[in-house]
Amino acid sequence: MAPPPKAGDLVVVGRAASVQFVEPIRCRVIRVLDWITYDGWCWLDVYQLDAKGDAVARRSIFVQPAGLQVSPAAPTPRTPARSGVAPNAGRRARPAGVPPSAPRPAGGGR
């Protein structure tokens, strides 16, 4: 009997893990649930991942750990949406307590 995956592991869940997964899905394990199951089966809380590796759904799935394809957890660095531009670039700093659109005094303010 294979040990269940650990939190953070990336797994591919297909037919070998459970007959309900005709099309394999990629998931990141959140935790292994301690629910009572049949011998050789377990419940997993997972984030289902899309092709880019972003979480698209949270699911609880009933699988056989022996049928999972497990990859050890590896952090994936995220790149900013606008590469080459520093966050908040071009924004002027406002003193604390000044609302974003403070009204200007009439008559030029002098």
Side-chain angles (χ1 to χ4, degrees), residues 25-42:
I25 62 171
R26 292 180 345 135
C27 301
R28 182 175 301 277
V29 176
I30 301 169
R31 64 184 173 145
V32 178
L33 298 167
D34 59 352
W35 297 347
I36 297 172
T37 64
Y38 294 105
D39 197 30
W41 290 79
C42 69

Side-chain angles (χ1 to χ4, degrees), residues 4-67:
K6 296 182 290 302
D9 284 348
L10 296 174
V11 295
V12 176
V13 185
R15 278 268 236 225
S18 180
V19 295
Q20 64 184 329
F21 296 103
V22 176
E23 293 293 322
I25 62 171
R26 292 180 345 135
C27 301
R28 182 175 301 277
V29 176
I30 301 169
R31 64 184 173 145
V32 178
L33 298 167
D34 59 352
W35 297 347
I36 297 172
T37 64
Y38 294 105
D39 197 30
W41 290 79
C42 69
W43 281 96
L44 301 176
D45 261 350
V46 298
Y47 288 119
Q48 184 174 344
L49 307 175
D50 64 6
K52 294 187 285 183
D54 293 328
V56 293
R58 183 174 178 168
R59 301 177 66 169
S60 293
I61 58 175
F62 187 57
V63 296
Q64 295 178 334

Side-chain angles (χ1 to χ4, degrees), residues 79-108:
T79 57
R82 300 181 331 175
S83 61
V85 178
N88 299 323
R91 292 180 123 188
R92 294 177 56 204
R94 255 187 316 276
V98 175
S101 58
R104 297 192 182 262

